[in-house]
Amino acid sequence: MNKPIFVLNGPNLNLLGQREPAIYGTTTLADIRKRCVTKAKALGFDVEFRQTNFEGELVESVHQARTDACGIIINPAGYTFTSIALLDALKMFDPPKIELHISNVHARESIYHNSLISRVVTAIMIGFGADGYELAIQAMAGMVKRD
Ligand code: CA2
């Protein structure tokens, strides 16, 4: 049995589905979690799904993933553009890692254009809305099986 896929979510994503539906859709994070678990199960994987509003907690989840996860899918939300601590933690995680954004960040204001973490991830999933999470699970399962 593979170790679980860690799906990590950063600040404010707990409010998904409650504001700005034109950008982020109407799906809640609880719905996304269910969809990830179902998709992963069909592919023979478990999911450890987390959300935090705290940078250090996100860093600690990445540390834990070094021993407990087969891969990381991470939507760091606002920390994407500010967190060197998260960048450093992800550098120390060797298995596959996917950066995910619900919205197409490149079609938005320039403050959302310069991800600090893109340079250290294996792949990026951007702009597919909530569906991106299931697509990322599928892609991650493929990468882990090939490893
Ligand atoms: O598109 C994404 O997934 C983002 O990572 C979301 C972040 C934003 O800073 C990134 O540029 C792109 C913001 C998350 C804000 O969460 C909300 C939750 C509910 C309603 C509105 C925003």
Side-chain angles (χ1 to χ4, degrees), residues 63-90:
H63 291 176
Q64 188 192 343
R66 295 176 75 237
T67 51
D68 296 356
C70 66
I72 293 177
I73 297 166
I74 184 164
N75 182 350
Y79 291 136
T80 308
F81 316 100
T82 62
S83 180
I84 291 172
L86 186 59
L87 166 70
D88 288 340
L90 285 166

PDB file of all heavy atoms in Angstrom, residues 63-90:
ATOM      1  N   HIS A  63       7.067  19.083   6.301  1.00  0.00           N
ATOM      2  CA  HIS A  63       8.071  18.272   7.013  1.00  0.00           C
ATOM      3  C   HIS A  63       7.531  16.870   7.285  1.00  0.00           C
ATOM      4  O   HIS A  63       8.226  15.874   7.073  1.00  0.00           O
ATOM      5  CB  HIS A  63       8.442  18.921   8.352  1.00  0.00           C
ATOM      6  CG  HIS A  63       9.210  20.195   8.215  1.00  0.00           C
ATOM      7  ND1 HIS A  63       9.562  20.970   9.291  1.00  0.00           N
ATOM      8  CD2 HIS A  63       9.695  20.833   7.127  1.00  0.00           C
ATOM      9  CE1 HIS A  63      10.226  22.031   8.871  1.00  0.00           C
ATOM     10  NE2 HIS A  63      10.323  21.968   7.569  1.00  0.00           N
ATOM     11  N   GLN A  64       6.303  16.804   7.778  1.00  0.00           N
ATOM     12  CA  GLN A  64       5.699  15.492   8.086  1.00  0.00           C
ATOM     13  C   GLN A  64       5.587  14.636   6.830  1.00  0.00           C
ATOM     14  O   GLN A  64       5.774  13.415   6.858  1.00  0.00           O
ATOM     15  CB  GLN A  64       4.323  15.688   8.722  1.00  0.00           C
ATOM     16  CG  GLN A  64       3.747  14.375   9.242  1.00  0.00           C
ATOM     17  CD  GLN A  64       2.276  14.470   9.613  1.00  0.00           C
ATOM     18  OE1 GLN A  64       1.728  15.554   9.785  1.00  0.00           O
ATOM     19  NE2 GLN A  64       1.644  13.319   9.724  1.00  0.00           N
ATOM     20  N   ALA A  65       5.296  15.301   5.715  1.00  0.00           N
ATOM     21  CA  ALA A  65       5.148  14.574   4.448  1.00  0.00           C
ATOM     22  C   ALA A  65       6.438  13.857   4.055  1.00  0.00           C
ATOM     23  O   ALA A  65       6.407  12.840   3.361  1.00  0.00           O
ATOM     24  CB  ALA A  65       4.723  15.547   3.344  1.00  0.00           C
ATOM     25  N   ARG A  66       7.582  14.340   4.515  1.00  0.00           N
ATOM     26  CA  ARG A  66       8.859  13.714   4.149  1.00  0.00           C
ATOM     27  C   ARG A  66       8.904  12.245   4.596  1.00  0.00           C
ATOM     28  O   ARG A  66       9.534  11.422   3.957  1.00  0.00           O
ATOM     29  CB  ARG A  66      10.038  14.487   4.755  1.00  0.00           C
ATOM     30  CG  ARG A  66      10.146  15.907   4.175  1.00  0.00           C
ATOM     31  CD  ARG A  66      11.240  16.730   4.825  1.00  0.00           C
ATOM     32  NE  ARG A  66      12.546  16.315   4.371  1.00  0.00           N
ATOM     33  CZ  ARG A  66      13.538  15.912   5.164  1.00  0.00           C
ATOM     34  NH1 ARG A  66      13.378  15.862   6.462  1.00  0.00           N
ATOM     35  NH2 ARG A  66      14.690  15.554   4.657  1.00  0.00           N
ATOM     36  N   THR A  67       8.222  11.939   5.708  1.00  0.00           N
ATOM     37  CA  THR A  67       8.198  10.536   6.161  1.00  0.00           C
ATOM     38  C   THR A  67       6.858   9.855   5.880  1.00  0.00           C
ATOM     39  O   THR A  67       6.796   8.637   5.756  1.00  0.00           O
ATOM     40  CB  THR A  67       8.457  10.443   7.686  1.00  0.00           C
ATOM     41  OG1 THR A  67       7.566  11.342   8.369  1.00  0.00           O
ATOM     42  CG2 THR A  67       9.894  10.785   8.007  1.00  0.00           C
ATOM     43  N   ASP A  68       5.783  10.641   5.773  1.00  0.00           N
ATOM     44  CA  ASP A  68       4.444  10.030   5.794  1.00  0.00           C
ATOM     45  C   ASP A  68       3.678  10.103   4.479  1.00  0.00           C
ATOM     46  O   ASP A  68       2.553   9.591   4.406  1.00  0.00           O
ATOM     47  CB  ASP A  68       3.580  10.705   6.878  1.00  0.00           C
ATOM     48  CG  ASP A  68       4.130  10.464   8.279  1.00  0.00           C
ATOM     49  OD1 ASP A  68       5.120   9.732   8.406  1.00  0.00           O
ATOM     50  OD2 ASP A  68       3.569  11.022   9.236  1.00  0.00           O
ATOM     51  N   ALA A  69       4.224  10.751   3.438  1.00  0.00           N
ATOM     52  CA  ALA A  69       3.448  10.930   2.201  1.00  0.00           C
ATOM     53  C   ALA A  69       4.206  10.396   0.991  1.00  0.00           C
ATOM     54  O   ALA A  69       5.444  10.395   0.970  1.00  0.00           O
ATOM     55  CB  ALA A  69       3.135  12.409   1.986  1.00  0.00           C
ATOM     56  N   CYS A  70       3.433   9.971  -0.028  1.00  0.00           N
ATOM     57  CA  CYS A  70       4.080   9.558  -1.294  1.00  0.00           C
ATOM     58  C   CYS A  70       4.184  10.739  -2.245  1.00  0.00           C
ATOM     59  O   CYS A  70       4.900  10.673  -3.246  1.00  0.00           O
ATOM     60  CB  CYS A  70       3.302   8.418  -1.942  1.00  0.00           C
ATOM     61  SG  CYS A  70       1.659   8.889  -2.512  1.00  0.00           S
ATOM     62  N   GLY A  71       3.462  11.817  -1.956  1.00  0.00           N
ATOM     63  CA  GLY A  71       3.509  13.007  -2.802  1.00  0.00           C
ATOM     64  C   GLY A  71       2.704  14.117  -2.154  1.00  0.00           C
ATOM     65  O   GLY A  71       1.902  13.857  -1.251  1.00  0.00           O
ATOM     66  N   ILE A  72       2.929  15.341  -2.621  1.00  0.00           N
ATOM     67  CA  ILE A  72       2.194  16.497  -2.089  1.00  0.00           C
ATOM     68  C   ILE A  72       1.505  17.234  -3.227  1.00  0.00           C
ATOM     69  O   ILE A  72       2.129  17.517  -4.259  1.00  0.00           O
ATOM     70  CB  ILE A  72       3.145  17.499  -1.390  1.00  0.00           C
ATOM     71  CG1 ILE A  72       3.764  16.913  -0.121  1.00  0.00           C
ATOM     72  CG2 ILE A  72       2.425  18.806  -1.059  1.00  0.00           C
ATOM     73  CD1 ILE A  72       4.776  17.857   0.557  1.00  0.00           C
ATOM     74  N   ILE A  73       0.225  17.544  -3.008  1.00  0.00           N
ATOM     75  CA  ILE A  73      -0.485  18.520  -3.850  1.00  0.00           C
ATOM     76  C   ILE A  73      -0.724  19.715  -2.942  1.00  0.00           C
ATOM     77  O   ILE A  73      -1.308  19.566  -1.864  1.00  0.00           O
ATOM     78  CB  ILE A  73      -1.822  17.946  -4.364  1.00  0.00           C
ATOM     79  CG1 ILE A  73      -1.564  16.734  -5.265  1.00  0.00           C
ATOM     80  CG2 ILE A  73      -2.628  19.023  -5.099  1.00  0.00           C
ATOM     81  CD1 ILE A  73      -2.813  15.899  -5.546  1.00  0.00           C
ATOM     82  N   ILE A  74      -0.248  20.889  -3.341  1.00  0.00           N
ATOM     83  CA  ILE A  74      -0.346  22.035  -2.432  1.00  0.00           C
ATOM     84  C   ILE A  74      -0.915  23.259  -3.137  1.00  0.00           C
ATOM     85  O   ILE A  74      -0.451  23.642  -4.211  1.00  0.00           O
ATOM     86  CB  ILE A  74       1.034  22.343  -1.775  1.00  0.00           C
ATOM     87  CG1 ILE A  74       0.903  23.479  -0.751  1.00  0.00           C
ATOM     88  CG2 ILE A  74       2.114  22.642  -2.810  1.00  0.00           C
ATOM     89  CD1 ILE A  74       2.086  23.595   0.206  1.00  0.00           C
ATOM     90  N   ASN A  75      -1.970  23.820  -2.521  1.00  0.00           N
ATOM     91  CA  ASN A  75      -2.470  25.132  -2.910  1.00  0.00           C
ATOM     92  C   ASN A  75      -2.108  26.078  -1.761  1.00  0.00           C
ATOM     93  O   ASN A  75      -2.846  26.176  -0.775  1.00  0.00           O
ATOM     94  CB  ASN A  75      -3.988  25.097  -3.127  1.00  0.00           C
ATOM     95  CG  ASN A  75      -4.509  26.461  -3.575  1.00  0.00           C
ATOM     96  OD1 ASN A  75      -3.780  27.465  -3.546  1.00  0.00           O
ATOM     97  ND2 ASN A  75      -5.768  26.506  -3.994  1.00  0.00           N
ATOM     98  N   PRO A  76      -0.967  26.755  -1.879  1.00  0.00           N
ATOM     99  CA  PRO A  76      -0.524  27.577  -0.741  1.00  0.00           C
ATOM    100  C   PRO A  76      -1.254  28.917  -0.649  1.00  0.00           C
ATOM    101  O   PRO A  76      -0.934  29.719   0.237  1.00  0.00           O
ATOM    102  CB  PRO A  76       0.960  27.818  -1.038  1.00  0.00           C
ATOM    103  CG  PRO A  76       1.293  27.016  -2.268  1.00  0.00           C
ATOM    104  CD  PRO A  76       0.005  26.765  -2.965  1.00  0.00           C
ATOM    105  N   ALA A  77      -2.200  29.174  -1.586  1.00  0.00           N
ATOM    106  CA  ALA A  77      -2.971  30.431  -1.608  1.00  0.00           C
ATOM    107  C   ALA A  77      -2.008  31.619  -1.505  1.00  0.00           C
ATOM    108  O   ALA A  77      -1.005  31.659  -2.207  1.00  0.00           O
ATOM    109  CB  ALA A  77      -4.049  30.410  -0.529  1.00  0.00           C
ATOM    110  N   GLY A  78      -2.266  32.558  -0.608  1.00  0.00           N
ATOM    111  CA  GLY A  78      -1.447  33.778  -0.538  1.00  0.00           C
ATOM    112  C   GLY A  78       0.030  33.527  -0.253  1.00  0.00           C
ATOM    113  O   GLY A  78       0.888  34.321  -0.655  1.00  0.00           O
ATOM    114  N   TYR A  79       0.353  32.413   0.431  1.00  0.00           N
ATOM    115  CA  TYR A  79       1.768  32.129   0.744  1.00  0.00           C
ATOM    116  C   TYR A  79       2.587  31.754  -0.495  1.00  0.00           C
ATOM    117  O   TYR A  79       3.814  31.739  -0.452  1.00  0.00           O
ATOM    118  CB  TYR A  79       1.877  31.028   1.805  1.00  0.00           C
ATOM    119  CG  TYR A  79       1.401  31.469   3.171  1.00  0.00           C
ATOM    120  CD1 TYR A  79       0.593  30.656   3.950  1.00  0.00           C
ATOM    121  CD2 TYR A  79       1.767  32.711   3.681  1.00  0.00           C
ATOM    122  CE1 TYR A  79       0.143  31.070   5.203  1.00  0.00           C
ATOM    123  CE2 TYR A  79       1.330  33.134   4.922  1.00  0.00           C
ATOM    124  CZ  TYR A  79       0.521  32.312   5.677  1.00  0.00           C
ATOM    125  OH  TYR A  79       0.083  32.727   6.911  1.00  0.00           O
ATOM    126  N   THR A  80       1.880  31.456  -1.598  1.00  0.00           N
ATOM    127  CA  THR A  80       2.562  31.174  -2.871  1.00  0.00           C
ATOM    128  C   THR A  80       3.548  32.282  -3.231  1.00  0.00           C
ATOM    129  O   THR A  80       4.616  32.023  -3.781  1.00  0.00           O
ATOM    130  CB  THR A  80       1.504  31.105  -4.009  1.00  0.00           C
ATOM    131  OG1 THR A  80       0.472  30.195  -3.643  1.00  0.00           O
ATOM    132  CG2 THR A  80       2.125  30.702  -5.323  1.00  0.00           C
ATOM    133  N   PHE A  81       3.135  33.511  -2.906  1.00  0.00           N
ATOM    134  CA  PHE A  81       3.851  34.687  -3.420  1.00  0.00           C
ATOM    135  C   PHE A  81       4.760  35.329  -2.371  1.00  0.00           C
ATOM    136  O   PHE A  81       5.456  36.294  -2.671  1.00  0.00           O
ATOM    137  CB  PHE A  81       2.824  35.716  -3.930  1.00  0.00           C
ATOM    138  CG  PHE A  81       1.742  35.065  -4.744  1.00  0.00           C
ATOM    139  CD1 PHE A  81       0.496  34.776  -4.200  1.00  0.00           C
ATOM    140  CD2 PHE A  81       2.006  34.687  -6.056  1.00  0.00           C
ATOM    141  CE1 PHE A  81      -0.490  34.134  -4.940  1.00  0.00           C
ATOM    142  CE2 PHE A  81       1.032  34.045  -6.802  1.00  0.00           C
ATOM    143  CZ  PHE A  81      -0.211  33.768  -6.242  1.00  0.00           C
ATOM    144  N   THR A  82       4.752  34.773  -1.156  1.00  0.00           N
ATOM    145  CA  THR A  82       5.488  35.443  -0.064  1.00  0.00           C
ATOM    146  C   THR A  82       6.407  34.534   0.742  1.00  0.00           C
ATOM    147  O   THR A  82       7.297  35.024   1.431  1.00  0.00           O
ATOM    148  CB  THR A  82       4.499  36.047   0.960  1.00  0.00           C
ATOM    149  OG1 THR A  82       3.737  34.978   1.545  1.00  0.00           O
ATOM    150  CG2 THR A  82       3.572  37.060   0.311  1.00  0.00           C
ATOM    151  N   SER A  83       6.190  33.201   0.691  1.00  0.00           N
ATOM    152  CA  SER A  83       6.793  32.361   1.737  1.00  0.00           C
ATOM    153  C   SER A  83       8.088  31.666   1.303  1.00  0.00           C
ATOM    154  O   SER A  83       8.062  30.594   0.676  1.00  0.00           O
ATOM    155  CB  SER A  83       5.791  31.318   2.233  1.00  0.00           C
ATOM    156  OG  SER A  83       6.414  30.532   3.230  1.00  0.00           O
ATOM    157  N   ILE A  84       9.205  32.248   1.703  1.00  0.00           N
ATOM    158  CA  ILE A  84      10.489  31.580   1.480  1.00  0.00           C
ATOM    159  C   ILE A  84      10.599  30.366   2.399  1.00  0.00           C
ATOM    160  O   ILE A  84      11.213  29.351   2.048  1.00  0.00           O
ATOM    161  CB  ILE A  84      11.641  32.587   1.673  1.00  0.00           C
ATOM    162  CG1 ILE A  84      11.583  33.597   0.520  1.00  0.00           C
ATOM    163  CG2 ILE A  84      13.009  31.895   1.700  1.00  0.00           C
ATOM    164  CD1 ILE A  84      12.513  34.765   0.641  1.00  0.00           C
ATOM    165  N   ALA A  85       9.951  30.420   3.566  1.00  0.00           N
ATOM    166  CA  ALA A  85       9.948  29.264   4.482  1.00  0.00           C
ATOM    167  C   ALA A  85       9.296  28.049   3.815  1.00  0.00           C
ATOM    168  O   ALA A  85       9.792  26.918   3.918  1.00  0.00           O
ATOM    169  CB  ALA A  85       9.213  29.627   5.772  1.00  0.00           C
ATOM    170  N   LEU A  86       8.200  28.285   3.122  1.00  0.00           N
ATOM    171  CA  LEU A  86       7.520  27.185   2.435  1.00  0.00           C
ATOM    172  C   LEU A  86       8.365  26.689   1.255  1.00  0.00           C
ATOM    173  O   LEU A  86       8.486  25.478   1.030  1.00  0.00           O
ATOM    174  CB  LEU A  86       6.146  27.663   1.952  1.00  0.00           C
ATOM    175  CG  LEU A  86       5.243  26.610   1.330  1.00  0.00           C
ATOM    176  CD1 LEU A  86       4.953  25.470   2.300  1.00  0.00           C
ATOM    177  CD2 LEU A  86       3.939  27.247   0.848  1.00  0.00           C
ATOM    178  N   LEU A  87       8.954  27.605   0.534  1.00  0.00           N
ATOM    179  CA  LEU A  87       9.876  27.242  -0.558  1.00  0.00           C
ATOM    180  C   LEU A  87      10.984  26.334  -0.022  1.00  0.00           C
ATOM    181  O   LEU A  87      11.267  25.274  -0.600  1.00  0.00           O
ATOM    182  CB  LEU A  87      10.468  28.519  -1.169  1.00  0.00           C
ATOM    183  CG  LEU A  87      11.684  28.351  -2.084  1.00  0.00           C
ATOM    184  CD1 LEU A  87      11.296  27.685  -3.388  1.00  0.00           C
ATOM    185  CD2 LEU A  87      12.340  29.701  -2.358  1.00  0.00           C
ATOM    186  N   ASP A  88      11.604  26.723   1.081  1.00  0.00           N
ATOM    187  CA  ASP A  88      12.706  25.942   1.641  1.00  0.00           C
ATOM    188  C   ASP A  88      12.235  24.551   2.076  1.00  0.00           C
ATOM    189  O   ASP A  88      12.928  23.555   1.863  1.00  0.00           O
ATOM    190  CB  ASP A  88      13.329  26.677   2.837  1.00  0.00           C
ATOM    191  CG  ASP A  88      14.135  27.900   2.412  1.00  0.00           C
ATOM    192  OD1 ASP A  88      14.523  27.967   1.228  1.00  0.00           O
ATOM    193  OD2 ASP A  88      14.361  28.785   3.262  1.00  0.00           O
ATOM    194  N   ALA A  89      11.052  24.486   2.692  1.00  0.00           N
ATOM    195  CA  ALA A  89      10.519  23.184   3.133  1.00  0.00           C
ATOM    196  C   ALA A  89      10.258  22.288   1.923  1.00  0.00           C
ATOM    197  O   ALA A  89      10.593  21.092   1.935  1.00  0.00           O
ATOM    198  CB  ALA A  89       9.236  23.393   3.940  1.00  0.00           C
ATOM    199  N   LEU A  90       9.678  22.839   0.867  1.00  0.00           N
ATOM    200  CA  LEU A  90       9.363  22.032  -0.315  1.00  0.00           C
ATOM    201  C   LEU A  90      10.626  21.541  -1.018  1.00  0.00           C
ATOM    202  O   LEU A  90      10.648  20.446  -1.584  1.00  0.00           O
ATOM    203  CB  LEU A  90       8.477  22.824  -1.287  1.00  0.00           C
ATOM    204  CG  LEU A  90       7.019  22.942  -0.840  1.00  0.00           C
ATOM    205  CD1 LEU A  90       6.286  24.014  -1.645  1.00  0.00           C
ATOM    206  CD2 LEU A  90       6.292  21.595  -0.975  1.00  0.00           C
TER     207      LEU A  90
END
